[in-house]
Structures are given as C-alpha cells and as structure tokens.
Amino acid sequence: MKNRLKVLRAERNWSQADLAERLEVSRQSVNAIETGKFDPSLPLAFKLARLFESTIEEIFSDEN
Amino acid sequence: MESRFSNFVNRRFHRRSLVVMLLYVLALAVMSLAIDHLHLRGVGLVLLALLPALPIVAGIVVIAQYLSEQKDEFVRALLIESMLWGVGATLIVTTVWGALEKFAHIRAMSLFLVYPLCCVFVILARVVVKRRYR
C-alpha cells in the first residue's frame, strides 16, 4: 500500500525515530510501513491519522 | 529505536527463552540419569519421559505471553514469520532425514534434537527476516 508518511514526516522535520517514539513502536516498524513492506492495522493507521491530523485515506492509498 | 516497554518485553522474552532452553537440556540430563539409575518401567518410565516435554510447553507459553505483551504489531509479525520459517525448516530437515534414514540407511537422528534444531532455525530465520526489513 502506498503512503505519504515520508512527506508528512519531512513537513514536520521528524526522523523515523521521532515518529516511532510518538507512535510507541520500533523505528523498524515505521521504516517498514513507510516503504510499503508492512501494512499497519486499523488501530495503528488511526493513530497515524490522529498524529498527522489527517484522515487514513489522506495518508494511505490502495494504488499499487 | 524501540519504546522502553517494547525493549523490556523483548529482553524478558529473550531471557525466558534462554531459561527454557537450559531447562530442556537439564530435563534431558535428569531423565537420562534417572532412567540409567532407577531402571523404571511402565507408568514411571512414561512419566519420566514426559519430563523434557515440560520445558517445551513452557517455551510455547513464553511465546504466547510475548505475543500478547508485545504492543508493536510489526515486531510481533516478525516473530510469527520467523517461527513459520523455523518450524518449516525443521519439518523439512527432519522429514528428509527420516527418508534418508529409511532408504539410504544414514545415521539415525535423535528425536531429542528436534526441539533444539527448531530453536536454531527460528533464531536464524529471525536474523534473516529482520535483515530483510532493515
């Protein structure tokens, strides 16, 4: 699944480690989600959306 | 960087897994010594033979506890994938070995080796799986 995490992170000048700390997950998790290797669960996707004050659809898209 | 809780859960899982492996070795040693010295038969022998299975049950409980305590879903997924590959590799190796034992008359593998072999394969799979997502 494609996502805009890298852009949203860059807009806030956050590193992967910063985002991981805010989400209470590992940096490896953020990297895997960001690179599209791992699709987050719905609760984690909602957490991301809340953190970026956005909607899930604005962060993730199901295009290949 | 992992959260402090996640780090704590990971460390506890590794510590418990190590203890379980040591208990398995200890249980095997105790069972072998007891069988050699006590010359048990029947129910007594069966009960003694169950001894090494206890650390295996404990190992399964340790994994189940880890999966329920680990809040990081990606880290959980890594362990599940590693276990899948580890158990798969163990099944393949033991099945092939069994066939070679029967048809090529190679040296028989002790069934006591299956559990440690599975642990080794899971550990190796964890290294490979983690590297893939680095």
Side-chain angles (χ1 to χ4, degrees):
Chain A
M1 205 181 338
K2 277 188 177 176
N3 64 75
R4 298 180 55 241
L5 276 189
K6 199 172 181 177
V7 176
L8 292 166
R9 221 172 25 81
E11 282 171 4
R12 285 154 183 82
N13 209 17
W14 290 348
S15 65
Q16 286 188 342
D18 294 332
L19 179 57
E21 203 176 335
R22 284 173 167 85
L23 291 170
E24 295 177 307
V25 298
S26 59
R27 191 206 56 79
Q28 212 178 11
S29 308
V30 171
N31 184 53
I33 295 169
E34 203 170 280
T35 52
K37 289 177 182 169
F38 180 74
D39 293 332
S41 66
L42 210 48
L44 186 55
F46 272 115
K47 207 170 177 180
L48 276 162
R50 272 196 299 273
L51 192 63
F52 288 117
E53 294 169 330
S54 186
T55 62
I56 291 176
E57 290 89 340
E58 282 167 345
I59 301 174
F60 295 96
S61 65
D62 57 1
E63 296 163 23
N64 290 318
Chain B
M1 192 174 136
E2 290 176 39
S3 70
R4 267 183 218 159
F5 182 71
S6 183
N7 264 332
F8 169 71
V9 170
N10 276 340
R11 272 202 307 273
R12 190 164 62 184
F13 171 63
H14 292 137
R15 201 171 50 236
R16 285 175 175 173
S17 299
L18 186 66
V19 169
V20 164
M21 282 183 219
L22 292 174
L23 283 176
Y24 180 73
V25 174
L26 187 69
L28 279 185
V30 169
M31 184 196 67
S32 301
L33 281 173
I35 286 175
D36 285 348
H37 290 90
L38 301 176
H39 309 291
L40 291 171
R41 286 181 176 199
V43 178
L45 184 61
V46 173
L47 288 176
L48 200 57
L50 281 172
L51 194 62
L54 297 178
I56 296 176
V57 174
I60 292 167
V61 171
V62 165
I63 291 168
Q65 263 181 335
Y66 176 76
L67 291 175
S68 70
E69 288 168 354
Q70 177 54 263
K71 302 297 174 210
D72 190 327
E73 60 192 51
F74 175 69
V75 176
R76 277 201 310 266
L78 287 186
L79 178 63
I80 292 167
E81 191 178 338
S82 307
M83 286 194 307
L84 179 70
W85 285 111
V87 170
T90 308
L91 290 174
I92 290 166
V93 167
T94 50
T95 303
V96 171
W97 197 284
L100 292 174
E101 248 180 63
K102 187 163 177 61
F103 302 110
H105 309 293
I106 64 165
R107 197 177 154 196
M109 180 199 279
S110 166
L111 290 178
F112 292 129
L113 286 177
V114 174
Y115 179 63
L117 194 66
C118 187
C119 292
V120 168
F121 280 137
V122 170
I123 291 167
L124 289 176
R126 271 198 103 177
V127 172
V128 174
V129 169
K130 270 187 170 181
R131 190 163 288 185
R132 212 177 70 207
Y133 289 106
R134 192 175 281 173

